[in-house]
Amino acid sequence: MQDKTFESLGLIEPLLKGVREERYTTPTQVQEEAIPVILSGRDLIACAQTGTGKTAAFALPLMQLLAKDNRPLAPRKARVLILTPTRELAMQINESFKTYGRHMHQYTAVVYGGVGQTPQVRAMQRGVHVLIATPGRLQDLMQQGHIRLDGVEFLVLDEADRMLDMGFKPDIDRILAKLPSRRQSLLFSATMPENIVDYARTILSNPVRIAVSPESPTVDLIDQQVMFVDKDKKISLLLSVINEKGIKRALVFTRTKHMANRVAEHLAKNKIPADAIHGNKSQNARTIALDRFKSGRVNILVATDVAARGIDVDDITHVINYEIPDEAESYIHRIGRTARAGQSGTAISFCEAQERTNLNNIQYLLKKEIPVVTGHSYHSQRAQYAKGEESRMPQRGGGNRGYRNRSSRPQNRSGHGRQDGHKKGGYQKRRRYD
Ligand code: AMP
């Protein structure tokens, strides 16, 4: 599978040049499968997570199709419309188009809420090749007459599952009603539950369906560890982990905004440059924090789950779960921020006694135990041996795959030092329970 090249996918030279300059040598699986389909003009439904290279999988062929029929732009119109759930993702997609398309001379605009609309309106005035938008702001600008969608030839719904989860369906429906019915449509989703498949049927016409490796290579590449610790020792453990491992670029997750601030402040007090991002921060403050992190001026970014969605920063070597998420699915999203596109990464979870249930749920979802590291100064046996509740994940696929009795539950009671859990299994089917 991996011996394909970007050249063999039929991409034109200016795009190949952009890809080479990014030092991508081989297409990822989703790129290998999606690019020829999109270039052939077919609709596509793709099950692919962030981190698999899915942005380039649609950006590259779309830019090529635009160039093939180089018609003039019309004021306030876009030829490609990309809908995404979050502003961070919208900005990242825009960056990707600019990066991969730096030799294509195509115009993009990005439209999202939480910031003034004037620059966005201005960007649309003469029309663009590619418009990337979150559904709410797009509708605002359409209603005010600043954007018209009757010239859209290509539609991309990115992270469709998340858009539906976030309640965007009515907005998307209203937006889609304004699009020409003759168009090429692509739908990308990290998970493929029934409601997405049904919804896709109403939007796509005779689509090609692809799914990238359900074994989730990204998660398999991550070195996952648990450290048991008492609540009041977490900050000391964090400082020692960062200092001892000489961590240069880590994302630290907390459950609450308040805790994100507190952790970032503690780190800064201890001379570790850190910023916090969460929903209470303005869009500007979040962008600045993200830029500082990307440029390496800040080593540690402390984030809540919502703020971290879609963050795509290369070379994050460590994800630290300062607090274990309530939703097991969030754990997968969190650790997926490291080990991007084939690189390795480490995910360390700090687990206190009260978080055992959450940890059990995560291990149930992963279908494996996360190896425990006990050889640190703040190891808590109390946390390690706390039982937690039985996994409260619903059972899937009809079979009894729950942990019925304690002997088969993922608990780690033996020995010291690092213990490896079941190697087999791994994360197979992504499903959402939130
Ligand atoms: P995405 O899934 O689009 O969010 O991409 C995840 C990461 O993979 C981004 O940081 C890209 O820069 C990187 N990437 C995308 N395609 C490739 C490739 N063919 N080779 C190496 N890295 C890639």
Side-chain angles (χ1 to χ4, degrees), residues 13 46 72 105 112 135 159 164 171 178 207 228 247 289 293-294 311 319 324 347 384 387 432:
E13 184 49 33
H105 314 293
Y112 48 80
E159 303 216 347
L164 295 197
D171 300 273
K178 302 280 189 223
F228 290 105
I247 292 176
F293 184 55
K294 276 184 185 169
I311 286 184
V319 165
I324 312 259
Q384 183 173 13
K387 286 201 188 81
R432 234 159 230 291

Side-chain angles (χ1 to χ4, degrees), residues 6 24 26-28 31 50-55 100 312 314 340-341:
F6 282 102
Y24 296 172
T26 22
T28 64
Q31 290 162 0
T50 301
T52 53
K54 69 182 166 67
T55 317
Y100 306 135
D312 174 24
D314 287 337
R340 313 288 295 229

Side-chain angles (χ1 to χ4, degrees), residues 289-303:
L290 211 54
D291 283 348
R292 280 157 53 92
F293 184 55
K294 276 184 185 169
S295 68
R297 265 176 295 157
V298 154
N299 302 118
I300 313 288
L301 192 63
V302 189

Side-chain angles (χ1 to χ4, degrees), residues 245-279:
K245 294 188 190 282
I247 292 176
K248 288 284 173 292
R249 191 170 281 182
L251 200 49
V252 174
F253 282 97
T254 62
R255 259 197 311 260
T256 64
K257 300 165 194 169
H258 172 68
M259 187 57 89
N261 284 337
R262 264 183 57 185
V263 171
E265 279 161 21
H266 266 292
L267 292 174
K269 245 186 244 161
N270 284 277
K271 307 217 169 355
I272 296 173
D275 275 334
I277 58 166
H278 50 68

